[in-house]
Amino acid sequence: MMAPEALNLGFELRILAEGPDVSAARCVADAPVGDYKDLATLREFARGLDVMTFDHEHVPNEHLQTLIAEGVNVQPRPAALIHAQDKLVMRAAIAELGLPNPAWAAVETVDELVAFGDRIGWPIVLKTPRGGYDGKGVRMLDDARQARAASDWFGNGALLAEDKVDFSRELSALVARTPSGEAQGWDVVHTIQVNGVCDEVIAPAKDLPEEVSRAAAAASLKIAEAFGVTGVMAAELFETPGEGAGFVINELAMRPHNTGHWTMNGSITSQFEQHLRAVLDLPLGSTDALAETTVMKNYLGGANQELFTAFLAALAAEPRVKVHAYGKSVRPGRKIGHVNVVSEPGESVDSLRARANTVASLIRDGVPATNSATAEGQAS
């Protein structure tokens, strides 16, 4: 998704691909295959680049530090990226900034985990500090018995224990920042998760108190400035009406993020164009919305394997819905694309969601969503 934006701006991309058949390699001519965890591979890949950046946070931090010492322009820098790589580092840094955190602790034993739960009250959440995403590396614990049953998670260093926040919905505050310090944020959006995976985004978040929206956007910008973030960063938030600032910070991602895919059709500047501008220290584009509301709907792999036929039906059903396919093989539960729909004057959020769900269902299942399925999606 960054490739068309690079082409429009006249930039040449090189992608380190995990395999010859990955979807990104189909979009970029210069796509050597290699292991991003291997320093020698990274050294070779970085030769001649003006800047090296990422579409995930799992590149070893120590390798990035070595590359910088050898003169490679890495953006974001490892000192910033570590806050997206290690949740314990992030929690401590958020606390130091005085921004809203859930109650949390680093725990190295089951006894420490149980003591934490007893102190703040059950239920609690146990997380692996590194490597978790889309609900992986997260365990909900209702009581001390369940905590003791999580003993198999211990033995490889401290884990993160957190209060299970009583929230009304999930939000995301997306920003971009350049190395020279220019920063821009998009509207705070409402994100809907299904089984730990982002399912829908409503931009901007509806009925969000103005003071909460301003505070959430300001918190994201403050984090980006304090941590020295470059490129796009998403601050994932829990809305907590009537409690503290009205939100707490859940996690950070330092890259173009699923909760920002709506910007491809709903904003003057997409997150992918902005990320390129930012890491190259170019002036940032406007983040103004193009319509009152934009809805993004992911579609996962399902029963339908004949995607081309499904695309014909989907495009015919909703000509104003924009389909973005990732070129991935179909596998149940795998993200294989998303759709965006931008509102017409006066159009309701429910109408937008129903239209997006119709297209996603046609692609995923080969048939339109049933009324009950649409209603279920709207109530998620």
Side-chain angles (χ1 to χ4, degrees):
M1 289 180 275
M2 215 176 293
E5 304 287 16
L7 185 64
N8 289 340
L9 291 168
F11 304 150
E12 183 180 345
L13 288 186
R14 179 186 305 161
I15 293 175
L16 182 60
E18 293 177 275
D21 57 346
V22 299
S23 54
R26 302 179 188 179
C27 305
V28 178
D30 190 359
V33 174
D35 182 1
Y36 63 84
K37 299 184 292 297
D38 179 68
L39 178 58
T41 298
L42 292 175
R43 277 198 181 106
E44 180 60 30
F45 173 74
R47 291 183 191 279
L49 295 182
D50 293 301
V51 61
M52 187 170 79
T53 189
F54 317 94
D55 69 352
H56 62 70
E57 297 96 345
H58 307 307
V59 180
N61 202 277
E62 61 273 17
H63 291 354
L64 300 179
Q65 292 171 349
T66 299
L67 292 176
I68 289 172
E70 295 174 353
V72 178
N73 181 12
V74 175
Q75 301 291 344
R77 312 294 270 186
L81 194 63
I82 190 65
H83 298 91
Q85 293 175 324
D86 192 311
K87 296 179 180 66
L88 284 170
V89 173
M90 178 203 72
R91 282 282 170 243
I94 295 295
E96 189 171 340
L97 290 176
L99 295 174
N101 253 340
W104 67 281
V107 294
E108 296 190 8
T109 67
V110 170
D111 287 343
E112 290 178 358
L113 177 64
V114 171
F116 173 78
D118 287 343
R119 182 172 73 253
I120 70 157
W122 303 90
I124 62 172
V125 183
L126 184 64
K127 295 181 178 180
T128 55
R130 290 176 174 258
Y133 67 97
D134 284 349
K136 300 177 177 68
V138 177
R139 198 159 176 170
M140 304 294 178
L141 306 172
D142 292 331
D143 50 36
R145 180 187 60 79
Q146 289 188 1
R148 294 198 180 280
S151 60
D152 57 312
W153 276 34
F154 289 87
N156 293 305
L159 301 176
L160 174 61
E162 295 180 348
D163 182 22
K164 187 175 185 298
V165 176
D166 184 16
F167 62 93
S168 59
R169 58 180 167 173
E170 298 192 47
L171 306 170
S172 177
L174 196 74
V175 299
R177 182 178 178 274
T178 68
S180 57
E182 183 188 1
Q184 290 275 2
W186 287 267
D187 289 331
V188 176
V189 302
H190 171 196
T191 75
I192 299 169
Q193 314 292 316
V194 175
N195 298 323
V197 178
C198 181
D199 184 62
E200 287 183 74
V201 171
I202 301 169
K206 302 305 178 184
D207 303 317
L208 182 65
E210 182 61 30
E211 64 273 16
V212 176
S213 178
R214 285 197 305 267
S220 190
L221 288 168
K222 183 175 182 178
I223 289 168
E225 176 65 29
F227 296 174
V229 172
T230 53
V232 167
M233 183 196 79
E236 299 179 71
L237 316 169
F238 294 135
E239 185 183 5
T240 56
E243 296 289 334
F247 68 93
V248 298
I249 295 164
N250 178 26
E251 294 184 354
L252 303 178
M254 291 182 196
R255 52 179 165 79
H257 192 253
N258 199 178
T259 62
H261 286 357
W262 69 273
T263 63
M264 298 173 73
N265 303 105
S267 173
I268 290 175
T269 308
S270 78
Q271 65 168 341
F272 299 101
E273 177 184 343
Q274 199 80 302
H275 187 77
L276 291 169
R277 287 179 179 235
V279 299
L280 286 162
D281 209 12
L282 298 174
L284 297 179
S286 169
T287 55
D288 289 347
L290 293 172
E292 183 178 353
T293 308
T294 300
V295 168
M296 187 282 297
K297 168 79 174 179
N298 280 323
Y299 57 90
L300 309 184
N304 179 45
Q305 296 284 326
E306 299 297 329
L307 291 188
F308 181 73
T309 301
F311 282 147
L312 295 179
L315 297 176
E318 292 285 351
R320 295 187 68 254
V321 174
K322 305 298 287 186
V323 176
H324 299 274
Y326 302 163
K328 295 180 178 179
S329 59
V330 177
R331 198 167 63 229
R334 184 187 198 188
K335 287 181 189 174
I336 57 173
H338 71 273
V339 302
N340 286 334
V341 56
V342 177
S343 65
E344 299 180 72
E347 186 173 10
S348 70
V349 173
D350 284 350
S351 170
L352 289 172
R353 294 182 68 189
R355 290 168 62 197
N357 192 59
T358 293
V359 173
S361 295
L362 279 167
I363 297 172
R364 181 185 63 242
D365 302 322
V367 295
T370 63
N371 290 337
S372 59
T374 303
E376 181 182 351
Q378 292 178 350
S380 297

